[in-house]
Structures are given as structure tokens and as C-alpha cells.
Amino acid sequence: MRARVIPALLAVVATVGTASARITAAWTYQQMYDKADLVVIAYAVSTKDTAERTTLNDIEPHVPVIGVLSEFKTSLVLKGPRDTGTFQLHHYRFASPHDQLAANSPDLVRLSETHSPFLMFLLKEPDGRYAPLTGQTDPASHSVIELKGAVE
């Protein structure tokens, strides 16, 4: 029995020592709803890069990103102005496709060809655009959630 336990224990200790992860805030849907200016289910209509080039500095290593402005069509307004038919989402994409494959890479918004709907918890920026409530580092994990398999 000990002959099996000791190698297994050593393997676990060796793995834990090399593992890395980022600590992120744990948000509940209620917390996001309460803090959001706009909560919607919406579909992407168009997307374009902006001239914005920056890095996400709250993670290591810092990740270079490109600003993106995506227009969304609202299907359902859960909170916010009921007449919101379309709106613009300010978010980021990786400057290099290799960065999304790196360990601990941020979970950025990805718009697919299938035009899946998103459940979005958003804050209004001073210029009228919206941004992910939980920040730009991991919006796809928290506040801009793709609803795969949902009906239109």
C-alpha cells in the first residue's frame, strides 16, 4: 500500500508546485445585476478595431491588447433603458493570437460567426459606450457570457 501512496503523493506535490493560476473576484449574478447600468441579452451586429493599443497590467505577464468596438442588437433588456435597441460594447482582443493560448491568459470576449446571444452585465462609460461590469481582464468568464445553444 505504501509503495503506491508515496509515489502518488510525490506526483501531487510536484504538480502543485508547477501549477499557476490567477485569483479573480467571485461575482454572483445578483451582485452584477445590482451594480450594472445595463443588463441585456443581445447579439453582435458588427465589430471593428479601434486605434487603442494597451496592455492588461493586472495580470502577469502583461498582455498586449487591441481596443474593439462592437455593436449589439438587444433581444431583451433586464435592467436599464427599455428602449435600448442597439448599443456599443468597448472591449479588447489579443494583439497576438498566441497570447490566448498562454497559461493564465485572460478570458476576453470572442465574437463567433454563429452570432450567439450574450447575457451582458455592463457599465456605461462617459462617452456613451458600455464596458463589461467586471472589468476588461476576464469579461467572458463573468459579465459578457455567451449563451451557446440559445434560441433567437
Side-chain angles (χ1 to χ4, degrees):
M1 176 80 166
R2 281 189 183 194
R4 291 185 195 156
V5 172
I6 292 174
L9 186 59
L10 289 174
V12 168
V13 170
T15 303
V16 170
T18 60
S20 61
R22 288 184 293 113
I23 296 173
T24 61
W27 289 81
T28 66
Y29 286 116
Q30 189 64 56
Q31 288 172 320
M32 290 190 294
Y33 182 87
D34 291 345
K35 293 182 187 283
D37 295 322
L38 182 66
V39 180
V40 295
I41 295 177
Y43 295 83
V45 175
S46 65
T47 189
K48 65 180 178 181
D49 289 352
T50 68
E52 183 181 14
R53 303 294 185 266
T54 189
T55 57
L56 297 176
N57 293 328
D58 53 344
I59 59 174
E60 288 291 332
H62 302 317
V63 178
V65 291
I66 296 171
V68 178
L69 197 57
S70 297
E71 184 159 342
F72 279 82
K73 180 178 180 243
T74 303
S75 270
L76 176 65
V77 176
L78 299 167
K79 180 181 179 183
R82 297 278 179 213
D83 61 347
T84 304
T86 61
F87 62 92
Q88 293 181 326
L89 175 68
H90 171 232
H91 60 102
Y92 294 109
R93 71 171 180 81
F94 293 102
S96 167
H98 300 292
D99 288 334
Q100 71 186 25
L101 303 174
N104 285 334
S105 69
D107 195 8
L108 302 180
V109 175
R110 292 180 195 92
L111 302 177
S112 66
E113 297 291 324
T114 61
H115 299 289
S116 296
F118 288 82
L119 171 61
M120 307 168 91
F121 298 85
L122 307 172
L123 290 177
K124 192 165 193 172
E125 295 183 323
D127 62 5
R129 303 180 302 185
Y130 287 91
L133 169 75
T134 57
Q136 294 287 8
T137 301
D138 291 305
S141 298
H142 305 294
S143 57
V144 181
I145 305 158
E146 186 174 5
L147 301 174
K148 296 180 180 178
V151 296
E152 189 169 322

